[in-house]
Amino acid sequence: MNLMKSLVLGSAAMFAGAGAQAADLPVKAKAIEYVKICSLYGAGFYYIPGTDTCIKLGGYVRASTQLGTNSVWGAAASGLGGAHNRLSNYYTAQSRFDFSTDTRTATEYGVLRTYAELAFTWTAGGYGGAGTTAINGATAYTGSNPAGSGSGMVSGGSLSVYYAFMQFAGFTFGRAQSQFSSPWTNYPGNSFDGMPGGGGWEAVNQFAYTADFGQGITASFSAEDQVSRTTNIWNVSGATAAGLATGTYGAGDIGGSRAPDLIAMLRVDQAWGLFQASVAAHDNHAGYYGVDETTGHPGDKWGWAGQLALSIKNIPTGAGDTINVQGVYTNGASIYNFQSYTPFTYAIYGGTGLGGAYQSVGLAGVSDSVFVAGAGQQLTTTYGFNGAYTHNWNPYWNSAIFGGWGAVRYNDTAKGSICGAFVATLALSSGLAGCNPNFNYSVVGVATRWSPVKNLTFSTELAYTMLDQKYASGSTVTLPVQAGIAKPAATYELKDQSSLQVMLRAQRNF
């Protein structure tokens, strides 16, 4: 019995030892791929594990408040903001989260790049008149964010696709900044969106090729989306009192897209600064004279735009100080001067000293062309400039003085069409002799920014906007009731107008 017990225990010990030895055998660990820095394309790039593609993630969080306007960040030039009454916002607040991705891969044809930037934005809206009777003073929410179910509450937000493009072997495909625009677009030293005087920031779908000649000299050629490059094409035969009262000189009559805008650009970008020359061709394709295709239509007319831009860096006033200026001329391509963040129609109200007038109003409108039933398009001419001087007080503070000016000029035929509708519909007191839809629009302002730590900036801007309309002095018009902005049917003096806006902003980049 003792012998049997010894054999069993010995066998158990032997198998236990063998098991322990097997468990102790080394096992090959799975390789771990660490994220590696990619130094090929600048700071912030990392290799995507398992690939030769580098990626950079970035963006910002921003909170801003605009005083004296219903827009972000623009002038109180129309609608509730231009009404200057109890329905106008004293301030409008906005919060935004911006996220961007930038990938780059080295190939035998050069760098293959993809870039996308999305912005999630919440903007406070306003409340416009919703009354339908003389005693109904109701209002309703008018903001771009969807209304919530709670009384007086709003929820939601908006998603914007700022950029979404790829670049390969000199070609650019997708939504990118127009090749016409200068690098600073409508922000020569500021954040104010509504600056006239040159091509704008808003991206556009395009197919472009850029040739690099070395030493900072490049040339680009692009075909860009025509739909988003049009301000207004007005069928003046469809003008109404309600539309004219908002600066809309006819029925909107833009036809389907037929040809892209064609852009050519030459740029010299060197240590001293930058020079750029740009030209654009734009097809004005209208709809029909009447409600259906049997009414006929005007023929297409090509417009054009030209721009010169100059940047001078590190001027003697201080390290990093910069002057940016640009000037533009357009004929039938107004958006290359009055870019997409400027107003296309103006209706700004103010006080009056004219007897018999309820208030004063400044009315104006921007178009690419106008026409009347049975006649051809009349192209609109515009010209303007903008610029800024930025001074760095020290590494933490800088300030900029900025300004822009744009002029709109209708030819004699267009004036005759617009004025015929204006006098007959709004009872212009000075008649045809005092009717002139031409106008100038200008912005001047100052900005100051403080960056206490890297990538955190607090800024404030003050912008003063001016509408210089050309109707005869002392002219009056009779406007219909405008329930949305609570303006009564009354006689109004046509008069130049101005407004003052202030922006306060905090932004953290990453």
Side-chain angles (χ1 to χ4, degrees):
M1 186 66 180
N2 289 335
L3 178 61
M4 181 62 69
K5 184 177 180 181
S6 297
L7 290 173
V8 171
L9 292 174
S11 298
M14 179 181 68
F15 284 114
Q21 291 175 12
D24 290 341
L25 290 175
V27 177
K28 186 176 181 181
K30 185 177 180 179
I32 299 176
E33 293 190 34
Y34 295 95
V35 176
K36 297 185 296 182
I37 293 175
C38 174
S39 59
L40 298 174
Y41 310 111
F45 282 92
Y46 297 86
Y47 282 101
I48 299 175
T51 74
D52 58 354
T53 297
C54 300
I55 187 170
K56 180 180 181 179
L57 304 178
Y60 61 81
V61 173
R62 170 193 293 172
S64 61
T65 299
Q66 289 64 228
L67 309 180
T69 178
N70 281 56
S71 65
V72 181
W73 157 225
S78 60
L80 295 172
H84 293 144
N85 61 17
R86 290 185 63 82
L87 301 186
S88 305
N89 284 357
Y90 278 7
Y91 70 92
T92 300
Q94 183 190 76
S95 298
R96 172 175 293 163
F97 168 63
D98 176 281
F99 180 71
S100 64
T101 63
D102 189 347
T103 70
R104 307 191 192 190
T105 306
T107 76
E108 58 184 309
Y109 300 97
V111 176
L112 168 59
R113 182 191 185 197
T114 64
Y115 184 84
E117 184 175 350
L118 310 177
F120 302 87
T121 306
W122 168 264
T123 305
Y127 285 84
T132 57
T133 69
I135 60 172
N136 187 345
T139 62
Y141 180 68
T142 63
S144 59
N145 298 310
S149 58
S151 174
M153 300 296 291
V154 290
S155 61
S158 62
L159 169 63
S160 301
V161 180
Y162 286 161
Y163 298 105
F165 65 84
M166 65 180 70
Q167 292 176 317
F168 177 67
F171 291 94
T172 298
F173 314 90
R175 182 174 172 81
Q177 183 179 304
S178 172
Q179 303 300 322
F180 183 90
S181 296
S182 63
W184 58 87
T185 63
N186 50 300
Y187 306 112
N190 57 287
S191 300
F192 186 77
D193 288 325
M195 185 96 79
W201 172 86
E202 187 176 24
V204 59
N205 292 330
Q206 63 185 268
F207 175 85
Y209 177 75
T210 299
D212 190 339
F213 302 106
Q215 297 184 337
I217 303 173
T218 58
S220 295
F221 306 90
S222 65
E224 302 182 357
D225 180 24
Q226 175 258 358
V227 175
S228 61
R229 303 285 89 186
T230 301
T231 57
N232 290 300
I233 295 178
W234 279 322
N235 183 345
V236 182
S237 297
T240 64
L244 291 169
T246 65
T248 302
Y249 289 147
D253 208 346
I254 301 172
S257 58
R258 289 296 183 270
D261 282 17
L262 303 176
I263 311 293
M265 180 271 286
L266 175 66
R267 179 181 294 171
V268 179
D269 190 355
Q270 298 177 342
W272 60 267
L274 176 145
F275 171 79
Q276 178 178 315
S278 311
V279 293
H282 172 77
D283 179 34
N284 291 286
H285 179 76
Y288 295 99
Y289 290 130
V291 70
D292 62 55
E293 61 190 32
T294 65
T295 60
H297 59 81
D300 286 20
K301 275 195 174 182
W302 280 83
W304 66 278
Q307 176 179 273
L308 296 176
L310 176 67
S311 178
I312 303 176
K313 303 175 183 177
N314 296 316
I315 58 179
T317 56
D321 287 10
T322 305
I323 295 176
N324 294 327
V325 294
Q326 59 190 359
V328 63
Y329 184 95
T330 77
N331 181 246
S334 300
I335 205 165
Y336 294 102
N337 182 10
F338 286 78
Q339 45 84 22
S340 57
Y341 288 157
T342 62
F344 294 159
T345 58
Y346 301 78
I348 310 173
Y349 290 82
T352 182
L354 186 65
Y358 171 70
Q359 288 180 345
S360 66
V361 63
L363 298 177
V366 181
S367 67
D368 289 352
S369 73
V370 301
F371 65 90
V372 294
Q377 296 188 67
Q378 303 298 315
L379 300 185
T380 305
T381 295
T382 82
Y383 43 90
F385 64 89
N386 64 43
Y389 162 62
T390 301
H391 173 63
N392 294 280
W393 302 100
N394 56 46
Y396 308 102
W397 289 88
N398 73 68
S399 297
I401 300 173
F402 60 88
W405 179 86
V408 173
R409 299 292 183 263
Y410 292 95
N411 66 28
D412 289 341
T413 302
K415 284 182 184 178
S417 299
I418 293 171
C419 288
F422 205 82
V423 172
T425 307
L426 298 185
L428 178 65
S429 64
S430 56
L432 291 175
C435 180
N436 187 349
N438 295 342
F439 71 95
N440 303 328
Y441 179 67
S442 55
V443 179
V444 294
V446 60
T448 296
R449 293 168 281 260
W450 174 47
S451 299
V453 297
K454 184 178 180 181
N455 294 328
L456 174 64
T457 301
F458 298 93
S459 57
T460 182
E461 289 187 11
L462 181 149
Y464 184 69
T465 60
M466 294 159 283
L467 174 65
D468 173 19
Q469 54 90 46
K470 300 300 181 181
Y471 295 102
S473 177
S475 296
T476 63
V477 288
T478 301
L479 302 186
V481 63
Q482 299 173 77
I485 59 173
K487 292 298 180 183
T491 298
Y492 293 80
E493 178 190 7
L494 286 172
K495 187 178 179 181
D496 298 347
Q497 303 290 339
S498 61
S499 62
L500 180 68
Q501 297 80 215
V502 177
M503 185 271 290
L504 306 172
R505 174 172 292 170
Q507 181 167 317
R508 167 73 160 96
N509 295 346
F510 60 88

